Amino acid sequence: MTKNTDMIEHLVAPYIYIIKNGDFKMKIEKMVIDNICGIKHLEIDFNNGLNLICGENGVGKTTILKAITYQFLYGYDNFIKKHYGTEKGEVQIWFDGMNNSLSYEVLDFVPGDIQRYNLNKEISDGIIYFSTARTITYSKIEALPSIKAKENKDFRNETLINGVKNDIKAWFVNRLVFSKMDGSLSENQMNNLKLSKQVFNLLDDNLSVKTAKPDYEIVLKKKKDEIYFEMLSDGYKSCIFIMLGIIKEIEYRYPEINAVDFDGIIMIDEIDIHLHPQWQAKIVNVLKETFPNAQIIATTHSPSVLQTAKAEEIIPLYKDKEENTCIKELNLGKYGLQGWTLEEILEDVMGMPLTNSQLYMDTIHKFDKAMNEEDQEKILQNYSILKEMLHPNNPLLQLLEIQVAEWKD
């Protein structure tokens, strides 16, 4: 890609990228992608709240998020490239309140060698982007670090190029300790700390923050027991990484506002990664509750996440016969997928084959064939197998019972 007067190309190494608020609202209305990575052509409309991008592997979910961050990065890039065999790639993004789109072209198939300059740095803080690398590992704090808003240009450049450091624990301990000293924290910092402590309880109503020990370890209370922060499950810590990471990043860049009032964009790649299905649905609801003014754009493979979403919050993608990435028409009602089974979502929305065992599928086929042929012996034989195979509360058992009733002696 050649140098462009609008921006400069950048290595997508950071865990979190931040993009900044300008005179317009930081909400993406529409995006058009032409010949970028595996996407030949795709037009997406976003709503101002939750947007869940889903579909089979390789359909281009991560490419969409990277293509947004790429508009504002400067440095080297190792992800975005033009589609193989095409003359160039192009991305156009329309933000709420903007008459014209922001756009860029990509001329190279092999990224990572070129720099490009982004002159839109004044809008570079309004987007918080999480990659899939967001595991909180244990870190020993030897001394209470100095934590303050990072406003200088060098820091912002370093953040865009190398990514925001995983200093969530240090930031939280700092705020927790100094909150006990009158006048040490601003009103917004105190409010952000209160919000951070509430997050623990929102994710698990049996869990709350108790204190920080003199060795700077965080102690939580779970019912009547005490537990150290790092002893929590990886799934829970992944949720905390997202929630506290957002609050921390907002406080760094907008010390004059409460994190709950953030009205920018939060982007999360594979929001369900590392999470039990119970957590997958919960993290989305907690995000919406904690940051009600933010636009959330997340990718997911989880039917549990989609099952709780409204129809307008779901962006289902699929590949057609020509390998074009397209938006699937689901024709959902106002309740979205809330009445669909996980298997139906996996097959019809995510493009995955049924998850039932081959033995189950074969037995169902044999049962249906026996019913059509009115073969009493095989009907009862296959019904007996299915009865032992299915969950005791599966409604299919009741249907099978009705079907075989007339064939029983």
Side-chain angles (χ1 to χ4, degrees):
M1 179 174 178
T2 58
K3 283 189 178 179
N4 176 317
T5 58
D6 295 325
M7 48 214 308
I8 156 181
E9 210 130 61
H10 168 69
L11 173 65
V12 187
Y15 288 163
I16 305 173
Y17 298 116
I18 309 288
I19 296 185
K20 179 169 185 165
N21 228 340
D23 296 331
F24 56 89
K25 295 180 181 178
M26 282 299 294
K27 302 289 190 297
I28 299 176
E29 288 186 341
K30 181 180 179 180
M31 182 178 189
V32 177
I33 301 175
D34 286 301
N35 298 319
I36 296 293
C37 296
I39 298 178
K40 297 179 183 178
H41 176 77
L42 181 63
E43 298 184 18
I44 306 177
D45 293 318
F46 296 95
N47 67 66
N48 283 346
L50 175 64
N51 300 266
L52 295 172
I53 304 171
C54 58
E56 60 193 87
N57 286 332
V59 78
K61 299 184 293 296
T62 298
T63 296
I64 295 169
L65 301 188
K66 295 289 190 181
I68 294 172
T69 61
Y70 189 84
Q71 171 69 57
F72 300 96
L73 300 177
Y74 55 103
Y76 291 98
D77 177 73
N78 66 354
F79 186 93
I80 291 295
K81 58 187 177 183
K82 71 174 184 178
H83 188 71
Y84 177 76
T86 60
E87 180 180 350
K88 66 177 182 180
E90 185 176 11
V91 173
Q92 300 178 75
I93 303 172
W94 284 263
F95 285 90
D96 189 9
M98 291 184 66
N99 295 325
N100 301 313
S101 66
L102 296 178
S103 64
Y104 62 86
E105 294 181 352
V106 179
L107 304 179
D108 291 278
F109 177 67
V110 180
D113 299 323
I114 307 126
Q115 289 187 327
R116 74 186 184 94
Y117 291 90
N118 165 28
L119 301 182
N120 295 309
K121 297 176 186 178
E122 70 280 2
I123 57 173
S124 66
D125 278 354
I127 294 181
I128 302 175
Y129 169 72
F130 289 87
S131 76
T132 56
R134 49 179 182 266
T135 300
I136 298 179
T137 56
Y138 177 76
S139 58
K140 178 66 177 175
I141 301 177
E142 299 296 342
L144 198 59
S146 172
I147 304 291
K148 59 181 180 179
K150 308 298 195 302
E151 299 177 346
N152 63 78
K153 292 182 180 180
D154 290 339
F155 173 81
R156 294 188 180 189
N157 290 351
E158 180 183 348
T159 300
L160 287 169
I161 295 173
N162 299 317
V164 175
K165 295 180 180 179
N166 180 11
D167 55 353
I168 293 171
K169 179 180 177 181
W171 169 80
F172 186 69
V173 170
N174 177 284
R175 297 298 186 249
L176 202 59
V177 170
F178 280 100
S179 67
K180 307 299 181 182
M181 304 177 188
D182 292 340
S184 294
L185 299 182
S186 68
E187 181 179 354
N188 288 332
Q189 289 172 336
M190 290 293 292
N191 290 334
N192 290 338
L193 175 62
K194 181 180 179 180
L195 182 64
S196 299
K197 293 166 71 174
Q198 290 174 348
V199 162
F200 285 85
N201 189 250
L202 287 173
L203 291 168
D204 185 344
D205 53 15
N206 292 315
L207 199 62
S208 60
V209 177
K210 183 175 182 180
T211 188
K213 295 285 189 179
D215 58 358
Y216 309 121
E217 297 296 346
I218 303 169
V219 179
L220 308 174
K221 184 177 180 180
K222 189 163 188 177
K223 294 184 178 179
K224 295 182 180 180
D225 298 326
E226 292 185 359
I227 181 173
Y228 280 98
F229 173 68
E230 275 85 4
M231 295 174 64
L232 297 170
S233 69
D234 287 342
Y236 189 95
K237 287 190 289 186
S238 179
C239 292
I240 289 295
F241 186 103
I242 293 173
M243 300 302 300
L244 266 60
I246 293 170
I247 297 171
K248 173 179 69 72
E249 295 305 326
I250 295 170
E251 185 177 286
Y252 277 177
R253 286 154 183 81
Y254 302 107
E256 71 281 2
I257 71 169
N258 293 322
V260 71
D261 297 322
F262 177 68
D263 61 356
I265 302 169
I266 300 169
M267 300 199 303
I268 307 169
D269 198 7
E270 295 189 29
I271 192 170
D272 51 281
I273 197 169
H274 307 309
L275 301 183
H276 183 277
Q278 178 184 358
W279 288 108
Q280 293 171 7
K282 198 159 193 174
I283 182 63
V284 174
N285 292 329
V286 172
L287 274 168
K288 292 169 66 175
E289 181 179 345
T290 308
F291 307 103
N293 301 315
Q295 182 182 46
I296 301 170
I297 304 174
T299 69
T300 182
H301 291 98
S302 169
S304 298
V305 170
L306 299 175
Q307 204 173 36
T308 63
K310 298 177 183 178
E312 64 271 17
E313 295 174 336
I314 302 170
I315 304 175
L317 305 179
Y318 75 101
K319 289 274 192 180
D320 66 13
K321 294 180 180 179
E322 284 73 40
E323 290 297 304
N324 297 304
T325 299
C326 308
I327 295 180
K328 183 177 292 186
E329 295 293 334
L330 296 178
N331 298 315
L332 299 175
K334 66 178 181 179
Y335 297 104
L337 299 171
Q338 296 182 57
W340 292 38
T341 66
L342 299 182
E343 288 76 13
E344 289 167 341
I345 296 174
L346 282 171
E347 184 176 20
D348 294 346
V349 181
M350 308 297 289
M352 296 177 63
L354 288 174
T355 55
N356 300 103
S357 70
Q358 190 60 49
L359 175 60
Y360 169 78
M361 299 298 293
D362 291 342
T363 307
I364 282 287
H365 176 73
K366 290 176 183 178
F367 176 83
D368 290 339
K369 185 173 183 292
M371 288 291 294
N372 291 333
E373 295 174 354
E374 300 185 353
D375 187 328
Q376 181 185 27
E377 180 181 357
K378 290 184 178 179
I379 288 173
L380 296 177
Q381 178 186 9
N382 287 288
Y383 167 69
S384 178
I385 297 173
L386 289 169
K387 189 174 181 180
E388 292 188 49
M389 191 180 294
L390 291 168
H391 189 281
N393 296 325
N394 192 321
L396 179 57
L397 277 177
Q398 298 179 22
L399 297 176
L400 292 173
E401 180 67 30
I402 295 172
Q403 284 183 288
V404 303
E406 64 176 300
W407 299 102
K408 290 183 176 180
D409 294 330

